[in-house]
Amino acid sequence: AQTVTQSQPEMSVQEAETVTLSCTYDTSESDYYLFWYKQPPSRQMILVIRQEAYKQQNATENRFSVNFQKAAKSFSLKISDSQLGDAAMYFCAYRSAIETSGSRLTFGEGTQLTVNP
Amino acid sequence: DTEVTQTPKHLVMGMTNKKSLKCEQHMGHRAMYWYKQKAKKPPELMFVYSYEKLSINESVPSRFSPECPNSSLLNLHLHALQPEDSALYLCASSQDPHRSPSYGYTFGSGTRLTVV
């Protein structure tokens, strides 16, 4: 079974600064998907960024980028130019690529990010 | 339409009541999910429907009964719940990753359930 570990229960960052959230995972599979989701107090889980394991290039979405180290099974999220609206719980998640549809997401325990003005 | 819509947003029910949660999406996604989330914890998978058939049941108690009447609609029927069932119930949907390059899960904003 796959596991996802987020070792930082809480992080804080000053507005406009950069912060990196850590995520490691354990799997015996070679093909899979990794995600970062954001959950603000409004409750909705919002997809921040996605990485396919077969792609060596790190994914980037505006101020969000990942450092994907497949051999180390590490998938960290970097938030640049942090904004107050980035404050939320961030979940790292894993999904096997073997199943074609209706597969489970395995979540880490989450990192609560605070952005200080 | 790129949303998953859940109703109601809040629900308070007694332990002898019967109620239902509803989830709807019109993105053509063929997999739909129910998750349960406790405060400051990650979502826990309950059920998965793939092409309108139940494909995963994570040993959920029978007081939770899922239903997928069509490809756009997912219900969760609740009966004789316990106070410990109080939580945020999230619905999600996803495409087949082999058919969509922009693969991802889309979540609704959840139903906050309180059992009294």
Side-chain angles (χ1 to χ4, degrees):
Chain A
Q2 297 84 19
T3 59
V4 178
T5 302
Q6 293 178 247
S7 58
Q8 307 151 316
E10 297 177 348
M11 291 280 285
S12 64
V13 63
Q14 291 296 124
E15 197 175 2
E17 296 293 309
T18 295
V19 64
T20 298
L21 308 184
S22 300
C23 173
T24 59
Y25 57 94
D26 188 26
T27 183
S28 59
E29 298 174 342
S30 59
D31 197 13
Y32 46 86
Y33 301 88
L34 295 166
F35 305 87
W36 278 99
Y37 278 90
K38 164 186 176 181
Q39 189 176 36
S42 65
R43 311 181 321 201
Q44 186 163 13
M45 297 278 279
I46 302 165
L47 178 64
V48 175
I49 202 163
R50 170 186 57 243
Q51 176 80 43
E52 291 87 349
Y54 63 86
K55 291 186 178 179
Q56 293 187 344
Q57 186 173 6
N58 290 325
T60 299
E61 287 286 343
N62 300 314
R63 297 182 294 106
F64 299 88
S65 62
V66 298
N67 183 4
F68 174 50
Q69 302 288 329
K70 191 173 184 180
K73 297 180 182 175
S74 171
F75 182 60
S76 60
L77 174 70
K78 185 171 82 171
I79 306 174
S80 304
D81 185 24
S82 297
Q83 301 175 359
L84 295 177
D86 295 333
M89 179 72 90
Y90 285 80
F91 291 101
C92 178
Y94 172 103
R95 196 273 196 193
S96 169
I98 294 175
E99 295 160 55
T100 57
S101 182
S103 180
R104 73 188 67 241
L105 274 179
T106 300
F107 288 93
E109 288 293 309
T111 297
Q112 182 67 52
L113 178 66
T114 301
V115 181
N116 300 309
Chain B
D1 188 352
T2 58
E3 291 186 345
V4 172
T5 303
Q6 289 189 244
T7 54
K9 295 195 182 305
H10 301 273
L11 178 64
V12 179
M13 61 184 290
M15 288 188 284
T16 59
N17 291 159
K18 287 185 180 180
K19 296 286 184 184
S20 296
L21 310 185
K22 179 180 174 181
C23 173
E24 200 163 4
Q25 58 89 12
H26 297 285
M27 295 176 282
H29 292 179
R30 301 312 298 269
M32 296 186 75
Y33 311 77
W34 281 114
Y35 282 87
K36 173 183 177 180
Q37 187 179 25
K38 291 282 199 178
K40 298 194 181 299
K41 289 292 186 181
E44 300 173 10
L45 183 65
M46 300 175 71
F47 302 104
V48 180
Y49 274 84
S50 178
Y51 292 87
E52 295 136 63
K53 294 191 187 312
L54 183 65
S55 59
I56 297 177
N57 176 342
E58 291 287 83
S59 301
V60 178
S62 59
R63 57 186 184 268
F64 294 91
S65 175
E67 178 195 22
C68 188
N70 58 59
S71 61
S72 300
L73 188 57
L74 185 66
N75 297 320
L76 186 62
H77 302 298
L78 314 173
H79 173 55
L81 295 192
Q82 303 297 310
E84 59 264 29
D85 296 322
S86 298
L88 179 67
Y89 288 83
L90 292 167
C91 175
S93 68
S94 68
Q95 312 99 313
D96 181 339
H98 296 276
R99 297 185 179 182
S100 172
S102 59
Y103 173 75
Y105 292 70
T106 303
F107 284 83
S109 57
T111 294
R112 176 77 64 194
L113 174 67
T114 303
V115 181
V116 297

